[in-house]
Amino acid sequence: MTQKRSKKRKSAPLAVAIFAAAVTGLAGAAYSVGSAARTIFLAQEDEIIPIYAGGSLDQMPALMRGNIPTITSSRVYGEPMRQKPPRMCEMPEDFFDDVDNIAPRPAGYTARSGYVRKYAARRGFLSDREMRAAKVAWRYFQNFTQETTGLANSVGNYPSTTLWDTASYIAGVVAAYELCIIEKPELDKRLTQLLTTIRELELFRGEMPNKVYHTKTGEKVDYTNKSGEIGFSALDIGRFLVWMRIIKNRYPHLGNTVDSVLLKWDFSNVVDEEGLMWGSYVDKETGETVYAQEGRLGYEEYAAKGFALWGFSPRLAHRAEPFLTASIFGVQIPYDGRDPRIFHSQNYVVTESYLQDGLELGFDLPHDDSSPAWLHSDGWRAEFADRIYQVQENRWRQTGFMTARSEHNVKGPPYFTYDTIFSDGYPWNTVTPRGDYVPDHAAVSAKAAIGLWALWDTEYTDVLYEAIIELYDPENGMYEGLYERGQGRVEIFTANNNGIILTALLHKVQGPILTPYTGDTEVWYTAFREKDTREKRNYPDPPQQKDWLPVLRHSVQTEASY
């Protein structure tokens, strides 16, 4: 039996339990695991037998074949499709002379409810300092990727990961290739091994990937890295889906491999008919699977777009409502309006989810494959992101505190903090996952600082850049951040931090990381057409214009001033 309860935003990351289980230092590489034989726990399932357009079943109606095209903005509006940019080392010297990014335009909403930001993103070749930072960030993944599985550790030497952190590893691989740190043979080797491992992982109760896996064995584990299963996270899956689509669109030769991973999963309980996303956990007393609504403003909408990129319709999850705003340093900061006393989930306002949307998706809607870089079709997301940036600059100007707030790991108790712009009714609130106030752990997050620098070309982000760009250990990667109260570095290394920093540096060179799909037919939409498997597992059909996430804009809603 199963239950459904309303719950959560992005679940407390893996590092909370990782360090509770005692980590003994971060020095030394984990990529070489010795000659001892290791067992990978893999689920054995039937092979996928897709139906291809042009085959013997062409007499079937087009929809049954999955052979109708996905409808995108370039088809509807007759606009040119965006082109994938070349790798940095393949760009001509004058490449950025024609980049349409800096010309001044009136800020605000357009007739289609797109949004033009008053800030420009940085574009150009990487400087020597930036290239050194990229290579150091890549060093993390060289050190902490497991030879047996191709999975990367979420935190330093600790052999455990989530789909969220696996997406950050994929981001690192893509950025390393596009920035010419590695070449195509290594890209293919790493991604092929990783996708093969993920395709064969044992799922949580036959549905979706477990929240945590052991990186050396591929075994399902709990938060203490012991054998067991604890449920699945819709938000982690949504982020992973973003990067699966990025790989498939950028590297068509890996497309069928990507599809084969997702065609092992059962999406029946992760997106409901109303368009809400649901994660799951195991009831400790009964052992039953409990499905819980997952996501709060910021992460929920970003993850929803990950599902929409694969044809799902998470319409309610993509809406900002219900939200309120808090006036902080003259900026109306949006936060989730669901009462945590009723829904048992805190409403943390942090930078990361807005950065990921901008860096990876360009603040665009999933169907948009044609708008220019300066126009953001998911307008309210771009507008809210500008507010998230502006309040942090305003705090620096008025108090002198350098500010780039996001969730981050710390070395030792409490191991992890939500370092927020606003939460629990307070601005600049730094709290543990259980809600304890820990102001000494407030920090300038490295990933947030470099991400803000990439997306907002301003005097203030130049200050953040100077504080963070050389905050690294050349053997282990970029440090997590810099303590706000002067205690020095946050001396820990994570996949998420290094992956997002690499993404930000790649964005400077290429702009939004997601590029359009240029193929004709996808196995994702054609597999299992002769069976009832598609309906049972809730696989979608190719999205048409009626399936697009709605284009929205939101009025300012005010609750209190701080």
Side-chain angles (χ1 to χ4, degrees):
M1 294 180 62
T2 60
Q3 309 172 48
K4 281 205 172 186
R5 300 178 188 167
S6 289
K7 215 174 174 176
K8 291 193 175 182
R9 62 147 236 124
K10 182 173 179 257
S11 56
L14 181 60
V16 180
I18 285 177
F19 285 94
V23 179
T24 57
L26 293 167
Y31 191 74
S32 175
V33 297
S35 59
R38 309 214 183 249
T39 302
I40 302 177
F41 291 79
L42 307 174
Q44 301 299 318
E45 298 185 24
D46 293 338
E47 290 298 313
I48 295 164
I49 304 175
I51 295 177
Y52 297 95
S56 60
L57 294 176
D58 258 358
Q59 67 273 18
M60 296 174 67
L63 181 58
M64 291 298 291
R65 295 197 313 269
N67 199 28
I68 59 174
T70 295
I71 301 301
T72 59
S73 62
S74 62
R75 289 177 177 268
V76 172
Y77 303 127
E79 299 168 342
M81 184 184 294
R82 288 192 297 266
Q83 300 298 307
K84 176 185 177 297
R87 299 172 70 208
M88 187 173 70
C89 53
E90 297 169 358
M91 289 176 170
E93 292 184 2
D94 62 353
F95 180 82
F96 292 98
D97 293 350
D98 297 326
V99 171
D100 187 14
N101 184 58
I102 301 175
R105 298 175 180 85
Y109 283 97
T110 68
R112 291 184 195 164
S113 293
Y115 190 73
V116 180
R117 297 165 57 220
K118 71 175 184 178
Y119 302 98
R122 295 178 192 271
R123 294 299 306 278
F125 295 107
L126 295 189
S127 69
D128 290 343
R129 295 173 81 193
E130 292 152 19
M131 194 65 192
R132 182 171 63 243
K135 290 178 178 178
V136 167
W138 175 242
R139 185 68 175 167
Y140 176 89
F141 298 109
Q142 290 178 307
N143 282 354
F144 301 118
T145 302
Q146 299 294 342
E147 194 173 64
T148 48
T149 62
L151 295 168
N153 298 348
S154 292
V155 181
N157 280 315
Y158 197 79
S160 196
T161 195
T162 65
L163 277 193
W164 187 279
D165 296 308
T166 299
S168 293
Y169 170 46
I170 294 170
V173 176
V174 170
Y177 173 68
E178 297 293 339
L179 295 174
C180 306
I181 298 171
I182 64 173
E183 296 302 321
K184 189 172 181 296
E186 185 168 0
L187 170 88
D188 288 344
K189 177 179 180 295
R190 285 179 176 270
L191 291 182
T192 300
Q193 183 186 20
L194 177 68
L195 292 172
T196 300
T197 292
I198 295 173
R199 179 182 181 273
E200 296 174 343
L201 291 175
E202 186 177 352
L203 304 175
F204 170 76
R205 300 187 175 177
E207 287 191 64
M208 304 294 286
N210 194 50
K211 290 180 181 178
V212 191
Y213 286 92
H214 197 292
T215 55
K216 289 185 179 180
T217 66
E219 183 182 9
K220 287 185 296 185
V221 292
D222 60 21
Y223 284 123
T224 65
N225 220 28
K226 295 179 181 178
S227 179
E229 56 182 7
I230 53 178
F232 61 79
S233 167
L235 296 185
D236 289 10
I237 292 165
R239 171 159 168 72
F240 184 78
L241 289 175
V242 169
W243 281 95
M244 288 292 95
R245 178 53 69 178
I246 288 171
I247 292 175
K248 182 170 180 176
N249 288 11
R250 280 179 170 261
Y251 313 120
H253 65 288
L254 296 174
N256 282 9
T257 305
V258 169
D259 286 348
S260 73
V261 171
L262 305 186
L263 286 166
K264 288 283 189 173
W265 300 356
D266 184 343
F267 292 84
S268 299
N269 294 308
V270 70
V271 178
D272 68 17
E273 293 181 356
E274 294 181 328
L276 287 173
M277 298 184 305
W278 296 78
S280 73
Y281 64 94
V282 178
D283 187 286
K284 292 181 179 179
E285 294 183 1
T286 66
E288 295 177 352
T289 302
V290 181
Y291 296 98
Q293 183 275 323
E294 195 172 356
R296 291 294 178 264
L297 182 64
Y299 285 104
E300 183 176 13
E301 296 76 18
Y302 164 70
K305 290 203 279 189
F307 282 95
L309 285 168
W310 291 90
F312 296 97
S313 298
R315 291 172 176 264
L316 287 184
H318 178 256
R319 296 179 68 90
E321 290 90 357
F323 78 97
L324 298 168
T325 59
S327 180
I328 306 173
F329 289 118
V331 181
Q332 297 296 324
I333 297 302
Y335 67 95
D336 199 287
R338 286 167 279 198
D339 190 334
R341 296 170 299 180
I342 297 173
F343 292 96
H344 307 293
S345 181
Q346 298 303 312
N347 307 331
Y348 307 110
V349 179
V350 293
T351 307
E352 182 176 330
S353 63
Y354 293 98
L355 289 182
Q356 289 162 332
D357 201 328
L359 296 171
E360 299 164 13
L361 307 176
F363 301 119
D364 286 330
L365 289 161
H367 62 260
D368 180 10
D369 62 351
S370 60
S371 64
W374 51 266
L375 176 60
H376 309 287
S377 56
D378 201 3
W380 71 269
R381 290 286 287 173
E383 189 219 337
F384 281 16
D386 274 356
R387 298 190 211 178
I388 294 299
Y389 163 74
Q390 191 64 61
V391 73
Q392 297 184 84
E393 178 183 328
N394 289 2
R395 181 179 185 243
W396 170 69
R397 292 191 178 279
Q398 296 188 38
T399 70
F401 279 104
M402 198 183 307
T403 307
R405 288 287 181 110
S406 204
E407 57 190 68
H408 64 263
N409 298 80
V410 296
K411 189 175 182 179
Y415 308 108
F416 181 83
T417 60
Y418 293 110
D419 199 14
T420 74
I421 296 166
F422 182 83
S423 69
D424 300 329
Y426 294 95
W428 317 114
N429 195 11
T430 305
V431 294
T432 68
R434 69 178 189 179
D436 298 331
Y437 180 47
V438 286
D440 287 344
H441 289 293
V444 179
S445 164
K447 62 189 175 186
I450 300 301
L452 291 170
W453 170 83
L455 288 173
W456 285 269
D457 186 356
T458 66
E459 175 193 19
Y460 175 55
T461 59
D462 285 338
V463 172
L464 292 175
Y465 171 89
E466 288 297 332
I468 296 299
I469 196 64
E470 296 181 12
L471 193 70
Y472 61 80
D473 178 333
E475 296 302 319
N476 290 302
M478 300 290 290
Y479 286 105
E480 193 79 350
L482 192 66
Y483 282 113
E484 190 177 274
R485 298 191 175 193
Q487 308 99 302
R489 303 176 301 218
V490 184
E491 294 193 351
I492 201 168
F493 307 96
T494 68
N496 198 42
N497 183 56
N498 285 281
I500 291 174
I501 287 173
L502 278 163
T503 303
L505 294 170
L506 177 58
H507 186 280
K508 183 192 175 188
V509 177
Q510 292 190 343
I513 313 303
L514 179 68
T515 56
Y517 179 69
T518 56
D520 295 322
T521 304
E522 302 184 64
V523 176
W524 170 246
Y525 291 124
T526 59
F528 299 121
R529 287 287 173 186
E530 81 285 12
K531 303 178 181 179
D532 59 0
T533 305
R534 295 193 67 85
E535 183 176 354
K536 287 183 176 179
R537 295 186 184 177
N538 196 29
Y539 295 153
D541 290 317
Q544 306 301 290
Q545 188 173 2
K546 65 180 177 58
D547 302 313
W548 289 1
L549 292 180
V551 182
L552 305 170
R553 66 175 78 182
H554 298 287
S555 60
V556 173
Q557 303 181 37
T558 306
E559 184 183 58
S561 181
Y562 295 87

